[in-house]
Amino acid sequence: MLVKLLSGSMKKMWKDYLVLLFGLTISIAIFYMFETLAQNKAFLEANALISSIVFVFHVGTFILGLVTIFYIFYATSFVLSLRQKELGMYMTLGAKKGKVTQMMFLETLVIGIISLIIGLIVGVGLSEGIARLLMSRLDFSGEGFHALYPSSLWTTVIFYMILFLLTAIVNAIRIARKSVLELLHADQKADNKVVKGWKTFVGTLFAIVLIAVGYFAMINMGELAHVGVLIAAATVTPGTYFFFMAMLPFIIKRIKGIRTINEKGLNAFTYAQLDFRVSQLSKVLGTVAMLVALGLGAMTAGLSFYHNTEIQSSMMHAYDVKVLQPTDEELAEMENWDFEERNLYSYRVTDDGIYFSKHDLQANPPMIKEFSGNLEELTKEVRVADDLIAPVYTTKETDNDETIPERWQTALRTELMANFYMFGDRSLYILDQEKFEEINAETQTVLIGKVDNFADYTDTLAKIDERHHQLAIDYTGEDPTMTGSKYEDYTALKNVANGTIFMGLFLGVAFLMMMASVLMFKLLSSATADIDRYQMLRKIGVRQEKLKKSIYKELFLVFLFPGLIGLVHVLIGMEMFSFILIEPYTKIWIPISLFLVIYGLYYWLTVKMYQRIVLPKA
């Protein structure tokens, strides 16, 4: 009989249970995705630029675990809120409280088990799909990564089974403690408002102090190291929850108290509803803010590592493009490139040396990179300005000829690629035009230039680099370990950073998916309780368009606060990487813009779905 009642109830309310199942499934899938990385120690250590990456993931597991515990307890309590009146009717008709309590326990557990099975399948599928997509885009082999990781699977199963057992027990106890009348009139119970006064002040003070300490730890991560990570995790997380529990009611009340705003249109209703329900929303918004911070932070860090590879490769190279003996095809293709500076230099090669035309060098003196002695900017660009008065300069020790000035040597070896790897131990010469013409060898050219976006031309530069290797073999008889091009350094740095980039983007996508799930679940699951309010307004003559506008405004504020706080966490938190990255904020607008688009899309979808539930049909 118990099983029959349980299955009948779930069939009757399948739409509500579908929303719950979706929320739990996403939570389980994201937790599993995180653990596939967190527990794969070999993959982390082999593919991360951060030496303490395993420790960072342990802290991340702790934060995600706290957020998940809160979310699961909240989500499963949704089952109780759906069934209270129905359970009260069963007891009125003669059902024993013990049986009703047992039914509530089984129902919570069954939903948990179903969502766990589906969540694990979805988690493995998402891990495989997202991982393969990112690996192909990053040209990253991802050796050692496994979408189906047994250790992560068992951790997720044990963790969620314990949570579902605990929440089932809690739900059963709640039912056992309520009288029949309380169950029957549960949907008529007013929501509790947040306590004002000294508790708001203390909560606000706690929030400010905790978040300030966490920000200090993140800004000084280079000095604090592991301790800084622990301090940031232990302060920013509770500080965020305190902020929403204490400050959000205060902010809404202050806005509501501004007469010019409150008395306009349906603002009085909108802000009154927010003020009345803020105690329920505050904890959910705190969770969403943390998930925004984790998701956007991981994605921003990953993209920052990606963009910094180009910046780091530029530290030792003044020019992006360096082409020895460019072919006609290469020159034709480069005609379409957007060069900021482009120079051609003539040279000749013999068995003894590499001879450059002084006329070409002086007509267009190249730039070089020099160490600045400043930690903020390690290298600086300097244009070679040393005069070349003598007819002959060389690196070879002779009694008659002048030695090539140091800056010119740097320019020839680093920017014009007249180095040991390409030409062996040949000496360098700078000759006036008369001496240059006397050299019995074919005149060659080297092209150097700066382009607007180096990454746009890497396909062509890769082919040029292959040709350079063959050229080096022709001159030295050996395939060089390196050629000295910027592209080569960029590729090497990118290969090293790809693992960290992959982890950041992988987790960023996962956390943002969970963020959207939490917020949509909260708003849509409580929408049925708002139907009567909107029907009442419609009956007294409020137009449908006004009601729609009120919903847009109310949900905008609900989405605004966690998004804003999460964004601030990310902007401050990127300072954590300032001791690793040259410019941690480079192109940060890209992940932020992507987040705003995703967040805005979820806002629009939530508004539309909410309107369909609460607004009376025209």
Side-chain angles (χ1 to χ4, degrees), residues 160-446:
Y160 274 90
M161 281 306 298
I162 291 171
L163 280 182
F164 288 136
L165 278 170
L166 288 174
T167 51
I169 292 168
V170 169
N171 278 356
I173 292 171
R174 284 179 179 174
I175 290 294
R177 287 182 175 179
K178 290 191 176 186
S179 66
V180 176
L181 282 176
E182 284 178 321
L183 291 171
L184 288 171
H185 297 288
D187 59 345
Q188 298 173 16
K189 185 179 176 181
D191 298 322
N192 295 321
K193 292 187 69 174
V194 174
V195 178
K196 305 294 191 281
W198 68 271
K199 287 188 178 181
T200 299
F201 173 77
V202 172
T204 303
L205 187 64
F206 261 73
I208 293 170
V209 171
L210 287 170
I211 291 174
V213 171
Y215 283 176
F216 175 81
M218 288 190 284
I219 291 170
N220 296 280
M221 193 62 68
E223 293 79 25
L224 296 173
H226 286 191
V227 177
V229 177
L230 290 173
I231 291 172
T235 54
V236 173
T237 305
T240 302
Y241 281 101
F242 273 117
F243 177 85
F244 281 99
M245 287 187 286
M247 281 296 292
L248 186 60
F250 176 74
I251 292 169
I252 298 300
K253 186 179 179 182
R254 295 296 296 176
I255 295 173
K256 187 183 172 187
I258 302 172
R259 292 185 61 183
T260 53
I261 296 176
N262 195 53
E263 294 177 1
K264 187 177 180 181
L266 285 178
N267 284 355
F269 168 75
T270 303
Y271 294 125
Q273 183 153 300
L274 273 175
D275 186 35
F276 202 63
R277 294 166 47 192
V278 78
S279 60
Q280 294 180 358
L281 286 170
S282 58
K283 294 173 186 176
V284 174
L285 297 184
T287 301
V288 173
M290 286 307 301
L291 288 172
V292 168
L294 290 169
L296 181 57
M299 188 176 288
T300 304
L303 289 172
S304 186
F305 273 99
Y306 178 80
H307 293 304
N308 265 260
T309 55
E310 201 273 325
I311 296 170
Q312 288 172 311
S313 62
S314 297
M315 285 182 62
M316 301 304 296
H317 301 273
Y319 291 94
D320 304 309
V321 180
K322 304 173 185 181
V323 187
L324 290 165
Q325 301 176 23
T327 64
D328 292 338
E329 292 81 4
E330 289 167 353
L331 289 171
E333 183 169 347
M334 284 187 281
E335 284 296 323
N336 300 318
W337 293 12
D338 190 3
F339 279 97
E340 296 173 3
E341 181 181 337
R342 171 177 163 165
N343 299 317
L344 274 170
Y345 301 97
S346 301
Y347 71 96
R348 294 181 178 182
V349 183
T350 67
D351 292 340
D352 299 322
I354 312 163
Y355 304 86
F356 284 89
S357 167
K358 183 170 72 172
H359 174 268
D360 288 354
L361 294 174
Q362 287 186 317
N364 296 293
M367 304 278 286
I368 62 170
K369 287 280 187 172
E370 287 187 342
F371 286 102
S372 64
N374 181 2
L375 291 176
E376 296 292 327
E377 187 180 6
L378 295 176
T379 60
K380 60 181 180 180
E381 284 189 357
V382 177
R383 193 171 294 281
V384 180
D386 299 3
D387 289 332
L388 298 172
I389 301 171
V392 178
Y393 290 87
T394 182
T395 56
K396 189 175 182 180
E397 293 183 7
T398 63
D399 296 330
N400 302 323
D401 299 325
E402 295 284 339
T403 301
I404 298 178
E406 186 177 342
R407 282 184 170 176
W408 277 111
Q409 286 193 45
T410 301
L412 296 179
R413 294 193 187 281
T414 61
E415 302 305 331
L416 275 66
M417 294 179 67
N419 53 53
F420 174 81
Y421 303 103
M422 290 299 302
F423 296 98
D425 56 0
R426 290 177 173 84
S427 299
L428 298 178
Y429 292 86
I430 298 177
L431 309 178
D432 62 17
Q433 198 60 30
E434 183 180 346
K435 296 285 185 184
F436 182 77
E437 295 295 339
E438 292 176 0
I439 302 300
N440 185 23
E442 184 181 350
T443 301
Q444 306 289 352
T445 57
V446 54

Side-chain angles (χ1 to χ4, degrees), residues 465-481:
D465 197 60
E466 287 179 13
R467 188 177 59 75
H468 280 168
H469 274 262
Q470 184 57 51
L471 194 64
I473 293 171
D474 294 341
Y475 281 123
T476 66
E478 296 179 0
D479 190 3
T481 55

